[in-house]
Amino acid sequence: MFIRRTVFDALGGFPDLAIMEDLEMSRRLHRRGRLAVLPATSTASARRLDRHGVWRMIAFMQYLKLLHFAGADPERIRRRYAAGPPRFPRRGRKATSSQYHLGDL
């Protein structure tokens, strides 16, 4: 994310949130004016995608964004993110309470 210093200062800098500060900054910038997408790529760690699967992580991140847009406490969202997406038992096995990790939904 590249932001002109004058715009950054006018918006009060990054919001002081436990998580989703980049999303909130993007929303503020969008309200202020036109955004541009640069023809470049970036690299990030794929550990969570490898561990949990691409589709599960996409759904999980959309869920966290929904919590943010609904006004959930950022610290609660941060804890949920740190816990990772829910784990479900494999088919054909009887589920036990220790197999579920739903955090504080």
Side-chain angles (χ1 to χ4, degrees):
M1 184 179 296
F2 297 99
I3 306 168
R4 287 190 176 99
R5 181 64 185 216
T6 55
V7 174
F8 184 79
D9 290 342
L11 293 175
F14 273 108
D16 187 21
L17 298 173
I19 195 168
M20 302 285 176
E21 68 283 352
D22 54 342
L23 176 63
E24 190 56 36
M25 178 57 88
S26 295
R27 291 180 70 197
R28 291 178 183 181
L29 287 166
H30 185 265
R31 284 187 218 124
R32 181 156 175 112
R34 190 176 66 91
L35 301 178
V37 177
L38 300 176
T41 59
S42 65
T43 303
S45 172
R47 285 188 308 261
R48 283 178 170 255
L49 298 174
D50 290 339
R51 184 179 319 130
H52 302 293
V54 173
W55 291 111
R56 181 173 285 171
M57 280 307 299
I58 289 172
F60 180 60
M61 294 306 294
Q62 294 306 310
Y63 167 71
L64 296 178
K65 284 172 42 175
L66 180 65
L67 289 177
H68 174 73
F69 294 143
D73 176 38
E75 181 58 30
R76 175 182 171 220
I77 299 170
R78 187 203 60 75
R79 286 191 312 266
R80 189 67 200 96
Y81 174 77
R87 296 183 187 108
F88 299 104
R90 291 185 180 174
R91 292 182 184 179
R93 293 184 181 175
K94 186 174 180 179
T96 65
S97 62
S98 64
Q99 287 176 308
Y100 290 98
H101 181 69
L102 296 178
D104 44 31
L105 294 176

